[in-house]
């Protein structure tokens, strides 16, 4: 597949108001590409692997930016940069989990321009798909990664359905752990979706990774006060400590009182097409004390039900060890 140094000819719209962007998104449908920081967009277009008719640049819309308190937590505009999230004092104080996850996205240069919305809705990194092969996710009838010769070291342990690609978003795991609400706008109005249902697996949408429909724009994310200031843990394991995607990551939110765990949410990244909740670990953790003994007890539950491919068995002990590390007192 050829790569090009220049962008293809494509119409560029730069609306200043959200209503104008929604009208464009509705009119262009799947031929319109929503542009945030552009860190994933330009690669797709320069490789000619995606060929939209037009780009709708959302960066001039002030309503999509900013971090503000609400009656029940904090709302973050989808066009807010990852840098602004990392530096925000309210988020550092109340939702450190998201700050830690955003801090592990790519490089400082990319975080300076990359947006929260762009990070959440980015497409998978499966190289067969990214290089333009006609796999299931691209509308074909084959998964090249899940084949006898397929290179699937980075692919899914859970939830595969024809496609075995995984979600690449670091902030998505934090959103599910924090029980965030996604605010979606269209010309028909606003709807909200829990983060746990926003991300879509291949059995639901084989060609999408979120529940966004054509014409819809992710406008904001709301973090509930319920989890403000709780105990958090985030860790990302990658081949490199800079500018790389997770092999496995974990985002944990726990309500801990007198060292005893109450309600908790454990979410792994890099193991499924969606942020993957460790339901068995969560159930077993409630009522337990933080510490190495509890970590050893919970760890074997982390990868239960996994269906490893030829080259990704190593992710299972990684998941177990990340649970152990999250439980350290």
């Amino acid at each position: 597949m050829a790569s090009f140094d220049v962008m293809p000819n494509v119409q560029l719209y730069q609306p200043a108001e959200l209503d104008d962007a929604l009208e464009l998104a509705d009119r262009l449908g799947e031929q319109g590409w929503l542009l945030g920081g552009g860190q994933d967009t330009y690669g797709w277009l320069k490789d000619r692997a995606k060929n939209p008719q037009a780009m709708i640049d959302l960066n001039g819309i002030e309503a999509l930016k900013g971090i503000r308190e609400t009656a029940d937590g904090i709302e973050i505009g989808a066009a807010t940069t990852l840098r602004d999230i990392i530096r925000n004092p309210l988020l550092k104080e109340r939702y450190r989990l998201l700050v830690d996850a955003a801090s592990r996205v790519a490089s400082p240069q990319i975080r300076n321009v990359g947006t929260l919305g762009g990070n959440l809705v980015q497409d998978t990194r499966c190289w067969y798909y990214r290089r333009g092969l006609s796999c299931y996710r691209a509308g074909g009838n084959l998964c090249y990664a899940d084949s006898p010769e397929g290179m699937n070291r980075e692919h899914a342990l859970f939830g595969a359905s024809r496609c075995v690609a995984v979600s690449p978003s670091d902030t998505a795991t934090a959103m599910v752990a924090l029980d965030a609400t996604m605010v979606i706008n269209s010309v028909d109005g606003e709807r909200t979706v829990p983060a746990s249902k926003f991300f879509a697996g291949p059995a639901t949408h084989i060609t999408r990774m979120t529940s966004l429909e054509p014409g819809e724009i992710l406008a904001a994310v709301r973090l509930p006060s319920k989890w403000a200031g709780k105990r958090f843990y985030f860790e990302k394991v990658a081949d490199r400590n800079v500018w790389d995607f997770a092999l496995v990551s974990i985002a944990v939110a726990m309500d801990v009182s007198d060292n005893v765990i109450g309600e908790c949410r454990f979410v792994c990244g890099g193991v499924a097409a969606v942020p993957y909740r460790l339901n068995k670990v969560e159930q077993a953790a409630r009522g337990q004390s933080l510490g190495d003994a509890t970590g050893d007890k919970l760890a074997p539950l982390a990868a239960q039900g996994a269906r490893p491919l030829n080259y990704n068995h190593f992710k299972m002990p990684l998941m177990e060890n990340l649970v152990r590390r999250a439980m350290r007192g």
Side-chain angles (χ1 to χ4, degrees):
M1 179 180 180
S3 290
F4 298 82
D5 291 332
V6 297
M7 289 282 289
N9 291 326
V10 59
Q11 291 177 299
L12 175 63
Y13 294 93
Q14 294 181 302
E17 302 294 336
L18 179 57
D19 286 346
D20 293 334
L22 294 172
E23 188 279 325
L24 285 165
D26 181 66
R27 174 159 58 86
L28 293 166
E30 293 186 339
Q31 287 304 310
W33 184 284
L34 299 172
L35 177 67
Q39 298 308 290
D40 197 32
T41 295
Y42 298 132
W44 279 116
L45 270 58
K46 288 173 72 173
D47 287 344
R48 308 305 194 256
K50 302 284 186 181
N51 298 284
Q53 174 186 325
M55 287 196 299
I56 306 168
D57 183 354
L58 304 177
N59 289 290
I61 302 174
E62 290 301 319
L64 296 178
K65 298 179 181 177
I67 299 165
R68 44 208 171 251
E69 287 191 83
T70 67
D72 182 37
I74 286 181
E75 180 175 277
I76 308 171
T80 304
T81 66
L82 297 169
R83 176 197 59 190
D84 288 342
I85 287 171
I86 293 165
R87 293 181 175 182
N88 185 266
L90 275 178
L91 292 175
K92 285 182 179 178
E93 175 191 348
R94 302 180 190 177
Y95 301 98
R96 185 77 209 186
L97 182 65
L98 176 60
V99 172
D100 290 345
S103 300
R104 291 303 315 276
V105 174
S107 65
Q109 294 86 349
I110 289 175
R111 296 193 291 268
N112 284 343
V113 293
T115 64
L116 176 62
N119 187 258
L120 291 170
V121 305
Q122 66 182 301
D123 213 335
T124 183
R125 305 301 303 185
C126 175
W127 45 83
Y128 296 106
Y129 171 60
R130 304 284 299 198
R131 297 307 291 171
L133 295 179
S134 183
C135 64
Y136 281 123
R137 187 165 289 279
N141 59 3
L142 179 67
C143 178
Y144 294 88
D146 189 16
S147 64
E149 298 81 19
M151 298 307 297
N152 45 44
R153 177 174 174 269
E154 282 82 3
H155 292 72
L157 295 174
F158 303 93
S161 175
R162 293 171 287 169
C163 173
V164 297
V166 299
S167 165
S169 172
D170 292 317
T171 58
T173 55
M175 290 300 170
V176 174
L178 291 169
D179 200 14
T181 297
M182 321 303 273
V183 182
I184 297 167
N185 285 163
S186 71
V187 293
D188 296 324
E190 178 181 299
R191 68 183 178 101
T192 57
V193 179
S196 58
K197 295 183 178 178
F198 178 74
F199 302 98
T204 304
H205 286 299
I206 188 66
T207 60
R208 302 182 202 166
M209 301 208 79
T210 72
S211 60
L212 284 174
E213 298 289 342
E216 290 187 325
I217 295 175
L218 176 64
V221 174
R222 293 173 183 155
L223 304 178
S225 58
K226 173 182 177 181
W227 288 104
K230 300 300 183 184
R231 184 183 179 90
F232 301 127
Y233 186 83
F234 181 87
E235 186 168 356
K236 170 180 174 178
V237 179
D239 285 324
R240 305 183 302 171
N241 279 328
V242 293
W243 200 349
D244 209 345
F245 295 91
L247 295 168
V248 181
S249 65
I250 192 166
V252 179
M254 292 187 283
D255 185 6
V256 179
S257 178
D258 295 330
N259 204 43
V260 176
I261 302 166
E263 189 172 352
C264 56
R265 295 168 75 96
F266 287 67
V267 184
C268 271
V271 299
V274 300
Y276 184 75
R277 279 188 73 178
L278 306 183
N279 293 312
K280 292 180 180 177
V281 172
E282 292 175 5
Q283 293 167 13
R286 295 183 187 114
Q288 302 293 318
S289 300
L290 284 173
D292 292 343
T294 300
D296 289 340
K297 178 180 177 182
L298 299 181
L301 302 174
Q304 279 192 2
R307 299 186 65 181
L309 304 167
N310 287 345
Y311 299 105
N312 67 354
H313 292 70
F314 71 97
K315 289 189 175 186
M316 297 168 66
L318 271 184
M319 291 178 69
E320 294 172 358
N321 284 328
L322 287 177
V323 168
R324 284 192 181 91
R325 292 161 70 92
M327 295 305 297
R328 289 177 177 169

